[in-house]
């Protein structure tokens, strides 16, 4: 012995356990997506597909809503304008609802969300009618396609929002 006092390290309960191995710090694992699911520029592929989905389904929904509204309007062009505006209004209300909800303004967010949902359901109905008119299929068969278009538009927008913020 060289005259030094050995300092023992107690465990969490104050009792020294000399045979117990020391805990090693854990290493962080890579959390990046596999290369197969990433774009060459490093952006996740889901963002690319979600942006495409928002654009494509917005155009499709706008066209189908415009066609349905023009069928009921005495003058076609105002019906088309109203129909073309529907997806923009739905997306705007969804964004406002989400931001207000996150900011803690639940009533305003709920009101914007409920308004957007009501317009979304009307849009689904108009899209289904347009699909039935354009294809000659029964309304019951056109409805799943209309739901996929309009609800898919909202789902892609939600994917973009959560990908950007998450």
């Amino acid at each position: 012995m060289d005259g030094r006092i050995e300092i023992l390290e107690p465990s969490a309960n104050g009792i020294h356990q000399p045979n117990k191995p020391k805990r090693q710090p854990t290493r962080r694992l890579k959390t990046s997506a596999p290369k197969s699911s990433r774009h060459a520029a490093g952006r996740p592929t889901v963002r690319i597909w979600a942006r495409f989905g928002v654009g494509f389904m917005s155009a499709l929904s706008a066209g189908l809503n415009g066609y349905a509204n023009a069928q009921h309007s005495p003058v076609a062009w105002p019906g088309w304008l109203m129909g073309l505006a529907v997806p923009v209004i739905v997306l705007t209300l969804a964004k406002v609802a989400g931001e207000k909800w996150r900011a803690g303004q639940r009533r305003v967010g709920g009101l914007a969300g409920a308004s957007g949902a009501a317009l979304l359901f009307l849009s689904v109905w108009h899209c289904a009618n347009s699909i039935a008119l354009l294809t000659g299929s029964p309304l019951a068969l056109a409805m799943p396609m209309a739901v996929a278009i309009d609800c898919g538009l909202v789902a892609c927008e939600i994917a973009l929002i959560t990908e950007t913020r998450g």
Side-chain angles (χ1 to χ4, degrees):
M1 275 190 94
D2 58 353
R4 293 188 202 161
I5 299 175
E6 185 177 15
I7 299 175
L8 301 176
E9 294 183 27
S11 65
N13 64 0
I15 300 171
H16 175 65
Q17 297 175 348
N19 296 335
K20 185 176 181 180
K22 289 185 179 181
R23 183 177 168 196
Q24 297 293 322
T26 57
R27 284 188 248 161
R28 289 189 163 255
L29 298 175
K30 281 188 172 182
T31 57
S32 63
K35 290 186 180 189
S36 62
S37 69
R38 295 184 71 82
H39 186 260
R43 291 180 19 194
T45 324
V46 69
R47 290 175 67 194
I48 295 167
W49 283 109
R51 285 183 198 274
F52 171 77
V54 168
F56 181 71
M57 287 182 261
S58 290
L60 194 54
S61 178
L64 291 169
N65 275 290
Y67 184 72
N69 285 338
Q71 296 299 315
H72 303 293
S73 179
V75 181
W77 70 266
W80 275 100
L81 285 179
M82 287 298 296
L84 294 174
V86 168
V88 176
I89 296 169
V90 168
L91 287 176
T92 301
L93 287 170
K95 286 189 177 268
V96 168
E99 291 300 321
K100 288 299 181 180
W101 191 269
R102 285 183 180 174
Q105 297 174 342
R106 304 278 194 223
R107 286 187 182 185
V108 177
L111 179 62
S115 300
L119 185 59
L120 180 68
F121 292 134
L122 178 63
S123 176
V124 166
W125 182 254
H126 281 157
C127 285
N129 281 313
S130 292
I131 292 168
L133 282 171
L134 291 169
T135 63
S137 66
L139 191 59
L141 295 177
M143 188 60 78
M145 180 71 167
V147 169
I149 291 168
D150 277 348
C151 295
L153 165 64
V154 174
C156 286
E157 183 61 30
I158 289 171
L160 278 175
I161 291 170
T162 57
E163 183 73 19
T164 316
R165 296 200 186 240

